[in-house]
Amino acid sequence: MVLVSALCALITTQPLRAAELVMVEQVGCPWCEAWDREIAPAYPKTEEGKRAPLRRVDLHDLPEDLEFKSRPVFTPTFVLMEEGRELQRIEGYAGDQFFWFLLGQMLEAHPEATALPETGATALPEAKEEVPQ
């Protein structure tokens, strides 16, 4: 019972994410390894990483909860998903600058799915000053 309560509390306190960036990879992929060295450590700390958190999947064992427009062939393939459905993808990795550029374009093409949750207090309505007549 305690475990169920803890899980419910965890689920309700975690923000819902509309989008995620799915990285399709495979063991021995040199381009995946380059991405891991050059991008992976920083990715979750970036605005892009917050807008589309990373999920890694194996090319040879694709999860059933993801609906790809076509089966990925190349690794790495980065697929922007909304509620498990593919929106857009980047095939391959040609270096950090190219990756960030393409990812930025992809996120901007889908602002409703990748918007950051608003933080901070909401503005209070302005007080209206009544002018005596």
Side-chain angles (χ1 to χ4, degrees):
M1 196 65 159
V2 173
L3 180 59
V4 171
S5 297
L7 283 173
C8 288
L10 181 64
I11 290 169
T12 58
T13 59
Q14 296 297 314
L16 293 176
R17 300 236 183 242
E20 65 183 347
L21 184 66
V22 173
M23 178 180 178
V24 180
E25 60 187 337
Q26 65 181 323
V27 174
C29 167
W31 302 111
C32 300
E33 293 169 5
W35 190 90
D36 283 340
R37 279 190 313 275
E38 298 170 7
I39 306 291
Y43 186 79
K45 301 171 191 171
T46 65
E47 180 180 326
E48 294 87 349
K50 291 176 177 68
R51 290 177 66 186
L54 185 67
R55 176 179 175 187
R56 293 169 172 262
V57 300
D58 186 270
L59 176 68
H60 304 291
D61 189 22
L62 296 174
E64 291 183 17
D65 67 321
L66 298 177
E67 187 179 313
F68 295 95
K69 290 180 181 176
S70 63
R71 183 171 175 78
V73 176
F74 304 103
T75 57
T77 295
F78 301 92
V79 185
L80 183 63
M81 296 278 194
E82 180 179 25
E83 297 177 1
R85 291 191 176 111
E86 180 176 342
L87 297 175
Q88 196 171 341
R89 69 173 64 185
I90 300 169
E91 293 181 321
Y93 177 69
D96 61 338
Q97 291 181 349
F98 198 56
F99 172 79
W100 289 117
F101 175 76
L102 291 175
L103 179 62
Q105 284 188 325
M106 191 163 58
L107 296 177
E108 291 308 311
H110 302 282
E112 65 290 337
T114 63
L116 287 173
E118 291 186 29
T119 58
T122 58
L124 296 174
E126 290 184 33
K128 294 183 181 177
E129 185 177 325
E130 290 190 30
V131 179
Q133 300 226 359

